[in-house]
Amino acid sequence: MTNDAVVDPSGTQAWKELQEIAVSTANISIRDLLTIDPSRPSAMTYVAGGIHADFSRQRLSPTTLSRLLELARQTGVLTLRDKMFAGEHINSTENRSVLHTALRLPRDATLVVDGVNIVEEVHQVLDRMGDFSNAVRSGAWVGATGKKITDVVNIGIGGSDLGPAMAYLALEDFRDRSISCHFVSNVDPSDVAVVLERLNPETTLFVIASKTFTTLETMTNAGDARRWLVDALGEAAVEKHFVALSTNAQAVSEFGIDTHHMYGFWDWVGGRYSVDSAIGLSTMIAVGPANFGAMLSGFHAIDQHFSHAAPHENLPLMMGLIAVWNRNFLKIPTTAVLPYSQYLSRFPAYLQQLTMESNGKSVRRDGEAVSYDTGAIFWGEPGTNGQHSFYQLLHQGTSTVAADVIVVAKTAHAIGQQQDMLVANALAQAAVLALGRTEMEVAADGTSATLVPHKVMPGNRPVSLFMVEQLDPFTLGALIALYEHAVFVQGAIWGIDSFDQWGVELGKKVALGILADLTKGTAQNPSLDAASLADMNTYLTLR
Ligand code: F6P
């Protein structure tokens, strides 16, 4: 483990100043800030990789932003950023480099890590993925009975599912409609069963996606799929219908997939940072290698911006700092992601893993407990649907929720006025969340006195509004990279390891113990607590 010195952010001068600013500006609302300075939107909009990020509805002033930049300086954020890009082992608890940024380096770049130019390796895999994707798309690759592949089933979970599943929906307008992708993740038997029920083994390709190739859910579902195929077409058919995406060649081979049909990646790609690695194979089959390449270019554009733009113009840096401001100084515990795009319907779920598995930590890299809050809770749904569901709480609930509103300007489906309606709703919600409606304004509408308090909208909910021209592969890559780096900035300030996930391990272990008992039909495990044993007994009676 590399034991680099970790700065306690709460001990820095900048942190103390920011605390004072939070107190002294507590009564200044977003409405005030926008009224006092109408040039605020242009001063607080940052553009990179085709993303226009308007932070003018955040509850902070440009002076506060400059203090936040000072916090970044005092906690060494940019030094850690440079170490990440250079391949140093900044994932200290796992003693690994963190190099998802290398996955999108152009072919002619060089990045030598431990004596190897990893860019060459990355492009070798991309080339093999490209050849395979083209073969599947063109029909040059056929199933065991000579038929073209019409259905691709990605079996994976977490980062080996959420990225490809999200990207498949997001890039609907770019995909080959003669091939459908399906995503099986849950160990709930219904997940795999209903997908297989609809498919023909002769025309189905299974993509088994697992960095470790040991994940219980994935290996169980992959086993089910393999049996289903072998029952229908025989053992010899496996080589035409199964490919593996993994770092673990031995486990792939033991599972019964020839490693010639494996697309590899490296331990320096975290699961939640892997949609742009071999894990993206189903996306590449769906949209083609050129579009996948455009997505990588979008990622790279933001990487370049993050590593080279001056701090005060650096979009991911600003976004991460604002998140820290909201979390630690305004004490806002949660962020709603509200994409006004049906195609981004899985983006909030994707971001949940990216943000919460990365920054849901309470111990710093040096093993010391943190004395301040870390990662916010992320969740969300596309607009306008969410407006008819949970926005009531966003507007008038007792908890303040920060919101990321994502707007896509162009649609491929110009039906009547619908696109303008969609965007009008996004802008309206951003305005109402941030500015609210005062008692006087409500009364001035002629509202009866008894209803006035019910119609007052407190506003002052911080909103970031991200606008892109269209949802294409480049933009999707840029959006993902933006969030990746904003997550990095927050973790760097908090001094935590944003790239490990020890918190998910214990549950997996306990589940295995419970499963052993359930298999025997007993509930006796002495290491289990009374509540678990009681619930196991109920289950054994009901199942
Ligand atoms: O359990 C959490 C996790 O390790 C995630 O970090 C990861 O994305 C997921 O499981 C799947 O892991 P794998 O790709 O190794 O199957």
Side-chain angles (χ1 to χ4, degrees):
M1 193 191 293
T2 47
N3 258 327
D4 57 329
V6 179
V7 176
D8 178 346
S10 66
T12 62
Q13 185 58 28
W15 187 280
K16 288 178 188 118
E17 286 171 15
L18 285 160
Q19 279 178 323
E20 284 162 19
I21 293 174
V23 172
S24 64
T25 59
N27 293 326
I28 301 179
S29 64
I30 301 168
R31 180 188 278 248
D32 295 336
L33 290 166
L34 281 163
T35 312
I36 297 163
D37 180 10
S39 70
R40 195 174 151 82
S42 63
M44 294 185 73
T45 295
Y46 299 78
V47 183
I51 304 168
H52 298 246
D54 178 0
F55 297 131
S56 64
R57 298 181 192 84
Q58 289 292 333
R59 213 193 298 164
L60 83 180
S61 69
T63 323
T64 309
L65 265 180
S66 63
R67 298 324 294 158
L68 283 162
L69 280 174
E70 188 52 29
L71 177 66
R73 202 188 61 73
Q74 290 176 12
T75 50
V77 173
L78 298 186
T79 308
L80 195 69
R81 171 201 65 184
D82 294 343
K83 287 183 180 180
M84 174 174 76
F85 276 92
E88 288 192 33
H89 287 202
I90 67 159
N91 176 354
S92 51
T93 70
E94 295 180 322
N95 194 18
R96 288 178 183 164
S97 307
V98 174
L99 274 172
H100 43 277
T101 50
L103 296 168
R104 45 266 192 160
L105 281 171
R107 193 180 291 276
D108 56 2
T110 304
L111 180 61
V112 178
V113 175
D114 300 330
V116 178
N117 178 14
I118 60 171
V119 183
E120 247 173 61
E121 295 191 352
V122 164
H123 279 272
Q124 275 164 14
V125 176
L126 281 172
D127 288 346
R128 286 186 56 233
M129 288 167 64
D131 291 346
F132 181 67
S133 301
N134 281 333
V136 171
R137 287 162 65 83
S138 67
W141 178 279
V142 288
T145 58
K147 293 194 177 154
K148 184 179 184 301
I149 298 297
T150 56
D151 293 274
V152 174
V153 183
N154 184 89
I155 299 183
I157 197 163
S160 300
D161 164 72
L162 288 163
M166 177 274 292
Y168 179 68
L169 294 178
L171 300 179
E172 170 71 26
D173 289 337
F174 296 82
R175 77 174 176 88
D176 177 344
R177 296 275 161 79
S178 70
I179 300 177
S180 300
C181 291
H182 312 265
F183 298 87
V184 171
S185 53
N186 201 329
V187 79
D188 178 342
S190 307
D191 198 10
V192 67
V194 296
V195 170
L196 295 184
E197 229 166 64
R198 295 197 298 260
L199 299 179
N200 174 359
E202 290 179 283
T203 54
T204 300
L205 174 74
F206 291 98
V207 173
I208 312 303
S210 175
K211 180 175 172 180
T212 55
F213 234 71
T214 57
T215 303
L216 173 93
E217 294 89 335
T218 302
M219 299 327 298
T220 306
N221 285 324
D224 295 339
R226 199 178 190 287
R227 272 189 298 281
W228 177 82
L229 184 98
V230 170
D231 285 351
L233 303 179
E235 184 67 32
V238 170
E239 68 158 335
K240 287 289 178 187
H241 294 268
F242 273 81
V243 295
L245 319 174
S246 188
T247 58
N248 187 347
Q250 193 186 331
V252 167
S253 171
E254 281 165 11
F255 176 80
I257 298 178
D258 190 321
T259 49
H260 287 110
H261 300 143
M262 164 177 161
Y263 298 87
F265 54 111
W266 304 269
D267 72 353
W268 39 260
V269 182
R272 53 195 175 273
Y273 297 87
S274 67
V275 61
D276 47 345
S277 72
I279 290 294
L281 183 67
S282 59
T283 311
M284 194 191 266
I285 294 172
V287 303
N291 280 319
F292 195 84
M295 183 177 85
L296 296 182
S297 303
F299 273 101
H300 184 61
I302 294 290
D303 295 343
Q304 289 286 96
H305 170 84
F306 182 47
S307 67
H308 299 302
H312 66 283
E313 291 171 347
N314 198 308
L315 170 54
L317 178 61
M318 287 300 179
M319 184 171 161
L321 290 173
I322 288 170
V324 167
W325 170 253
N326 286 339
R327 187 76 185 105
N328 297 114
F329 302 97
L330 299 186
K331 306 282 179 204
I332 298 175
T334 170
T335 299
V337 185
L338 312 172
Y340 278 74
S341 161
Q342 195 55 32
Y343 284 169
L344 286 175
S345 59
R346 291 294 283 162
F347 197 53
Y350 175 79
L351 289 184
Q352 276 181 329
Q353 188 197 12
L354 178 63
T355 60
M356 291 161 73
E357 202 172 69
S358 296
N359 284 342
K361 317 272 163 78
S362 46
V363 170
R364 296 191 322 219
R365 296 198 300 278
D366 58 7
E368 291 296 317
V370 299
S371 58
Y372 39 84
D373 287 318
T374 62
I377 296 162
F378 265 71
W379 57 285
E381 277 291 319
T384 59
N385 295 13
Q387 293 175 200
H388 300 273
S389 159
F390 55 81
Y391 276 41
Q392 167 64 40
L393 185 147
L394 301 191
H395 287 300
Q396 290 185 316
T398 51
S399 299
T400 301
V401 178
D404 283 2
V405 173
I406 302 172
V407 176
V408 179
K410 283 190 178 136
T411 175
H413 308 281
I415 305 174
Q417 255 207 308
Q418 281 187 227
Q419 178 65 10
D420 287 346
M421 280 180 199
L422 177 71
V423 176
N425 272 281
L427 300 182
Q429 293 297 330
V432 175
L433 285 166
L435 279 75
R437 202 156 173 76
T438 64
E439 204 177 322
M440 258 168 63
E441 286 168 339
V442 176
D445 277 350
T447 305
S448 71
T450 49
L451 267 188
V452 167
H454 297 278
K455 290 189 149 194
V456 168
M457 307 285 276
N460 225 14
R461 274 66 174 144
V463 177
S464 294
L465 192 136
F466 302 94
M467 198 177 303
V468 298
E469 186 177 346
Q470 61 181 16
L471 186 57
D472 56 19
F474 181 94
T475 306
L476 182 66
L479 256 184
I480 300 171
L482 173 59
Y483 274 94
E484 285 178 350
H485 295 318
V487 163
F488 170 88
V489 169
Q490 293 163 67
I493 288 181
W494 292 325
I496 57 179
D497 185 339
S498 297
F499 303 100
D500 61 14
Q501 54 283 318
W502 297 108
V504 302
E505 296 305 325
L506 180 60
K508 295 181 190 175
K509 209 171 138 194
V510 174
L512 289 180
I514 294 178
L515 178 62
D517 260 21
L518 296 181
T519 309
K520 284 188 269 170
T522 59
Q524 288 169 349
N525 192 329
S527 64
L528 286 172
D529 60 279
S532 300
L533 292 170
D535 294 337
M536 284 163 71
N537 274 319
T538 309
Y539 170 70
L540 288 171
T541 316
L542 294 179
R543 77 176 174 182

